[in-house]
Amino acid sequence: MRTVLLGPPGAGKGTQATRLADRYGVPAISTGGIFRANVGGGTELGRQAKEFMDAGLLVPDSVTNAMVRDRLAEPDVNPGFVLDGYPRNPDQAIDLDEMLANLGVTLDVVLEITADFDEVTRRLLGRAAIEGRADDTEPVIRRRLEEYSLKTAPLTAFYEGRGLLARADGLGDIDDVTSRLVAAIEARVSS
Ligand code: ADP
């Protein structure tokens, strides 16, 4: 099961990626999570990513693509993966295609979790109070949403054109969202 989750910051990609990964027995690969772990661990990769993350901007493709390429080469990815937060612009999508072609595999489905920007802003500001993520402040959230609209949202049309896109409403109960995503996966993977 190889899937990509798309959707604005705060749509619930991270939560749903973990749930889908557990259900299908594949790793959830979160580029934001890997970056945060590296920032926390004070690595060179973290040092390269931090200023962009703090500003709500995408980390440069040269850094991000190499990191994903390495991660996808690890053996636990053989049965599949749930990609959360990658690809995030058209060049990353092209790079992902190349990585998968080299591995001799293809995507099964691309899942877009939809949620309007007012709702996700509310959620992220609520999360800031609990988790204290450095990029969950109002100006940085606004920038992340702009980055999403400009660079990531066009990927839905890209994958729709390939017949890979399925959409699921990200509003409502977390379990209900998971059920919608599973239904979308089953509809694709069994067809
Ligand atoms: P969110 O989707 O809520 O913004 P993420 O954890 O996915 O949170 O990403 C946090 C930050 O990590 C992004 O704002 C960006 O700086 C960086 N990042 C994550 N994934 C990518 C990516 N594919 N390309 C470039 N930067 C990324």
Side-chain angles (χ1 to χ4, degrees):
M1 220 283 292
R2 296 182 180 83
T3 187
V4 164
L5 293 188
L6 293 176
K13 295 186 300 293
T15 304
Q16 298 298 337
T18 308
R19 288 170 158 234
L20 294 176
D22 286 349
R23 182 178 184 112
Y24 291 98
V26 298
I29 300 175
S30 155
T31 45
I34 300 172
F35 283 136
R36 276 188 292 282
N38 277 277
V39 171
T43 68
E44 173 58 22
L45 178 65
R47 195 192 59 71
Q48 289 173 346
K50 185 177 181 340
E51 60 177 299
F52 297 97
M53 297 175 73
D54 287 350
L57 300 172
L58 294 187
V59 176
D61 288 350
S62 55
V63 176
T64 307
N65 290 334
M67 177 179 91
V68 174
R69 190 178 304 271
D70 287 350
R71 182 66 188 88
L72 290 180
E74 286 176 31
D76 66 318
V77 177
N78 279 341
F81 53 75
V82 178
L83 268 178
D84 157 24
Y86 186 91
R88 232 169 165 108
N89 64 30
D91 283 340
Q92 292 184 6
I94 290 166
D95 254 61
L96 176 62
D97 275 346
E98 192 196 301
M99 291 176 215
L100 297 179
N102 285 337
L103 294 168
V105 300
T106 54
L107 291 175
D108 295 305
V109 59
V110 174
L111 300 164
E112 182 192 6
I113 305 179
T114 58
D116 71 54
F117 282 11
D118 287 344
E119 166 70 15
V120 299
T121 302
R122 247 192 315 277
R123 288 185 190 176
L124 293 171
L125 290 172
R127 181 174 79 183
I130 300 162
E131 293 180 14
R133 234 175 83 169
D135 58 351
D136 280 344
T137 62
E138 196 149 13
V140 179
I141 291 168
R142 203 172 313 122
R143 197 74 195 86
R144 283 156 63 203
L145 290 170
E146 281 167 18
E147 287 280 85
Y148 181 78
S149 299
L150 277 171
K151 297 176 181 167
T152 313
L155 294 182
T156 58
F158 174 82
Y159 287 118
E160 193 162 34
R162 289 190 183 179
L164 282 175
L165 190 75
R167 289 194 172 85
D169 186 349
L171 295 192
D173 194 70
I174 291 177
D175 286 335
D176 291 342
V177 178
T178 308
S179 303
R180 288 175 205 138
L181 293 170
V182 168
I185 291 170
E186 303 296 323
R188 300 277 153 162
V189 172
S190 60
S191 65

